[in-house]
Amino acid sequence: MAFSVSPFTLLVLFSCFATFLVCHGFPVHHNNPFHHRRHPRFASHNYRDALTKSILFFEGQRSGKLPSSQRITWRRDSGLTDGSAMHVDLVGGYYDAGDNVKFGFPMAFTTTMLSWSVLEFGGLMKGELQNAREAIRWATDYLLKATAHPDTIYVQVGDANKDHACWERPEDMDTPRSVYKVDKNSPGSEVAAETAAALAAASLVFRRCDPTYAKLLVRRAIRVFQFADKYRGAYSNGLKKYVCPFYCSYSGYEDELLWGAAWLHKATKNPTYLNYIQVNGQTLGAAQFDNTFGWDNKHVGARILLSKVPILASSSLFVKYCIYDHQSIKMIDIVLESQAFLVQKVQSLHDYKDHADNFICSLIQGAPFSSAQYTPGGLLFKMNDSNMQYVTSTSFLLLSYAKYLTYARKIVNCGVTAVTPKRLRNIAKKQVDYLLGDNPLKMSYMVGYGPRYPQRIHHRGSSLPSMAAHPAKIQCSSGFSVMNSQSPNPNILVGAIVGGPDEHDRFPDERSDYEQSEPATYMNAPLVGALAYLAHSFGQL
């Protein structure tokens, strides 16, 4: 049975459909758009195991009072007085990487990407969905504390320079837990807008499962974005000696304002944010031709996210809309027919579709305007420092864009080269497979996955004896004898993704080499979504 559906209803239905799946998963049905009637017979990797471990990793990065359900048991409580230097409660959250500092900027981006992973592919995660939601909530609970005061965001706990002068467990740390903030006198639009994006994206994750919490998140996101936009300025200026060179925003704050507005538009459906994007898009760099997506530069992510509207609105779509009825799930067939867009000026979002296509074409080897570099073994290579973050984020974007194109029965035209959704999925799979061990070294770059993985990761807690094995305090400088040794880490940080090999596929596995051997939360976050898709595609979920 066909219905004529208004443009606004079109987006509301998709939003409801997505949030239903985030809380309840996909029911098994032969017309499910993700359901494969015949799964590929052979998978070279156990993507389900990798998915489980990629989420488990976040428990190893927790700061604060650990719950009884903590599964990485060599970790203990830490940072229990965080925030006291400014008489605020900043206990909790995540250590970003291998040190003991809580950097708000990458933590917020991690939260946004974990949430996006769940929004796009959470319906496929089955038993891991609850673990993914808990990983998100550990971050958002902290971000709510960090944004509790209007026009103020506490963006960092710990003096990074002094922290890096020590090699000690988070449970032992005695370096200053200094607190740094942005406010209207010393603004930080990039970290504020990213925090707004994180809260808005997470609100969609919890909209059906915990509506009260979701409302709190989205209300806070609105307030934080208003602060980011009203008091414009880079936190890298006012807090330069504390946040640089660790997490300087080299791309400026314009990309985060665009990105934050995109997520608030998605979370609220308030036309104010769509109008903001249309009015400010060009001045915020929407047309820039950068093709790097990571914790600093969000332009590509914003393009992919905003392109979803014109892609889906321009096609005749048949979906199964799921309504939860306490005891059962009823399937109602709805034909969503092509009509005008959400509001009159939404035609301008077609530009984002074009920009997203340009990003896709930049990755296609041999296509016109191809600019991506690959190692001899086939790994996407952007830079020496933590390159794997670009591999995981790009893989996620490819799978998400392939999903949108599949719904709309569209392809990407790269000059004379027609790029299908299947090809995008194949490129993403190849990148993930390389990460998991299909590479010249036969090395898995996920700790704890496969027969061979990094043994000496640049991570204080993993490299030093656990509290259970060595209850006595390990002093600040004492740990450097371990850091500089060749002994394997005694504590396995299961699921950690390290920076990865160099441009020649070489990986020395040296603890002192932070560029290649250090894990980070923002490397794992987008991989969660990619692994969920691949595990489902090969019948492992």
Side-chain angles (χ1 to χ4, degrees):
M1 181 177 181
F3 298 89
S4 180
V5 183
S6 73
F8 180 77
T9 304
L10 175 69
L11 290 197
V12 171
L13 286 174
F14 268 102
S15 176
C16 293
F17 183 57
T19 52
F20 173 87
L21 297 176
V22 165
C23 291
H24 303 291
F26 265 111
V28 177
H29 192 282
H30 71 280
N31 280 331
N32 187 309
F34 282 109
H35 182 70
H36 296 259
R37 296 186 182 186
R38 285 192 297 270
H39 292 290
R41 292 185 178 183
F42 174 76
S44 58
H45 290 286
N46 187 337
Y47 299 113
R48 180 172 186 167
D49 181 50
L51 171 64
T52 296
K53 291 173 177 174
S54 70
I55 298 171
L56 179 60
F57 159 74
F58 289 95
E59 296 191 20
Q61 296 300 108
R62 284 173 170 171
S63 180
K65 180 72 175 176
L66 302 185
S68 59
S69 59
Q70 174 79 11
R71 294 177 293 168
I72 293 187
T73 54
W74 51 264
R75 282 295 323 283
R76 293 289 190 272
D77 300 343
S78 62
L80 298 182
T81 62
D82 280 359
S84 60
M86 281 198 176
H87 308 290
V88 291
D89 176 9
L90 296 175
V91 177
Y94 290 115
Y95 303 115
D96 70 300
D99 54 25
N100 301 323
V101 182
K102 293 192 297 200
F103 293 98
F105 194 22
M107 193 193 307
F109 178 65
T110 294
T111 309
T112 309
M113 292 309 298
L114 261 179
S115 298
W116 199 3
S117 283
V118 169
L119 291 171
E120 293 295 350
F121 303 111
L124 312 177
M125 290 180 183
K126 294 190 176 177
E128 290 304 322
L129 178 57
Q130 181 58 29
N131 290 326
R133 284 200 298 256
E134 289 177 3
I136 294 168
R137 188 157 189 158
W138 193 268
T140 51
D141 282 352
Y142 175 83
L143 294 177
L144 287 171
K145 293 180 179 181
T147 57
H149 300 150
D151 294 341
T152 301
I153 303 178
Y154 298 97
V155 298
Q156 184 173 316
V157 179
D159 184 316
N161 289 296
K162 293 180 179 179
D163 179 271
H164 287 187
C166 295
W167 192 267
E168 58 186 352
R169 302 175 295 197
E171 294 84 359
D172 284 335
M173 60 182 170
D174 49 12
T175 52
R177 301 302 286 170
S178 306
V179 177
Y180 305 98
K181 67 177 181 177
V182 296
D183 56 27
K184 58 185 179 182
N185 297 315
S186 180
S189 296
E190 65 276 80
V191 65
E194 183 60 63
T195 302
L199 295 168
S203 76
L204 292 168
V205 171
F206 294 103
R207 178 167 287 177
R208 294 295 179 89
C209 313
D210 191 341
T212 301
Y213 189 63
K215 289 176 182 177
L216 173 62
L217 292 173
V218 76
R219 285 197 299 266
R220 187 65 57 81
I222 292 169
R223 191 179 83 188
V224 171
F225 184 79
Q226 289 172 341
F227 164 66
D229 189 45
K230 182 177 181 180
Y231 301 102
R232 292 194 183 187
Y235 95 136
S236 299
N237 292 335
L239 296 175
K240 184 174 182 177
K241 67 178 182 178
Y242 305 112
V243 303
C244 297
F246 315 104
Y247 290 102
C248 285
S249 182
Y250 299 102
S251 68
Y253 58 77
E254 291 83 2
D255 52 317
E256 278 83 19
L257 288 174
L258 184 63
W259 172 246
W263 277 109
L264 277 160
H265 165 60
K266 187 175 178 67
T268 67
K269 298 297 181 289
N270 187 330
T272 299
Y273 296 106
L274 184 59
N275 183 66
Y276 178 94
I277 292 164
Q278 292 163 340
V279 171
N280 297 285
Q282 295 304 310
T283 60
L284 296 179
Q288 289 184 13
F289 290 101
D290 51 80
N291 290 313
T292 299
F293 180 53
W295 62 262
D296 183 22
N297 196 324
K298 318 298 164 45
H299 278 129
V300 171
R303 292 169 200 155
I304 297 291
L305 185 65
L306 290 169
S307 70
K308 186 174 185 178
V309 178
I311 289 176
L312 298 184
S314 64
S315 295
S316 206
L317 302 171
F318 178 82
V319 300
K320 293 290 181 179
Y321 178 59
C322 309
I323 297 180
Y324 187 67
D325 187 22
H326 300 292
Q327 302 294 328
S328 64
I329 296 174
K330 298 179 179 179
M331 305 299 294
I332 300 177
D333 296 350
I334 301 177
V335 174
L336 301 175
E337 297 179 343
S338 173
Q339 293 192 8
F341 292 119
L342 178 61
V343 293
Q344 290 180 347
K345 295 182 180 179
V346 92
Q347 180 71 25
S348 64
L349 290 187
H350 272 296
D351 292 341
Y352 293 95
K353 166 67 167 65
D354 294 339
H355 296 319
D357 285 355
N358 290 338
F359 165 68
I360 297 299
C361 294
S362 76
L363 299 169
I364 305 300
Q365 292 177 293
F369 310 112
S370 174
S371 60
Q373 301 295 314
Y374 294 87
T375 68
L379 183 71
L380 176 68
F381 193 82
K382 288 283 186 180
M383 61 182 65
N384 290 320
D385 191 355
S386 303
N387 179 67
M388 208 59 85
Q389 67 172 301
Y390 306 111
V391 175
T392 60
S393 63
T394 299
S395 298
F396 173 81
L397 292 181
L398 287 169
L399 291 172
S400 297
Y401 205 57
K403 175 184 169 184
Y404 308 160
L405 294 171
T406 298
Y407 270 127
R409 299 185 178 91
K410 291 187 176 296
I411 63 172
V412 175
N413 289 304
C414 300
V416 296
T417 304
V419 181
T420 65
K422 181 179 180 180
R423 185 168 181 184
L424 299 187
R425 288 189 285 266
N426 287 339
I427 294 171
K429 178 181 179 298
K430 183 176 180 180
Q431 294 301 305
V432 173
D433 286 350
Y434 183 111
L435 185 155
L436 294 177
D438 290 358
N439 56 64
L441 297 181
K442 305 302 179 187
M443 167 79 77
S444 164
Y445 292 103
M446 175 185 284
V447 175
Y449 176 86
R452 186 181 185 211
Y453 53 82
Q455 299 295 308
R456 290 170 286 276
I457 67 172
H458 184 93
H459 190 278
R460 287 158 173 77
S462 173
S463 67
L464 294 165
S466 68
M467 296 293 291
H470 190 287
K473 180 181 176 67
I474 298 175
Q475 298 294 335
C476 166
S477 59
S478 300
F480 281 108
S481 62
V482 172
M483 196 275 277
N484 293 317
S485 76
Q486 290 299 306
S487 59
N489 287 12
N491 309 309
I492 308 302
L493 186 57
V494 175
I497 307 298
V498 297
D502 66 13
E503 66 270 29
H504 302 293
D505 300 298
R506 296 173 303 197
F507 181 77
D509 196 10
E510 293 179 358
R511 193 177 292 112
S512 60
D513 184 358
Y514 63 87
E515 290 188 342
Q516 292 184 256
S517 293
E518 187 169 17
T521 57
Y522 44 84
M523 286 194 257
N524 277 62
L527 186 65
V528 168
L531 288 171
Y533 172 79
L534 291 170
H536 175 81
S537 297
F538 283 88
Q540 298 171 359
L541 281 172

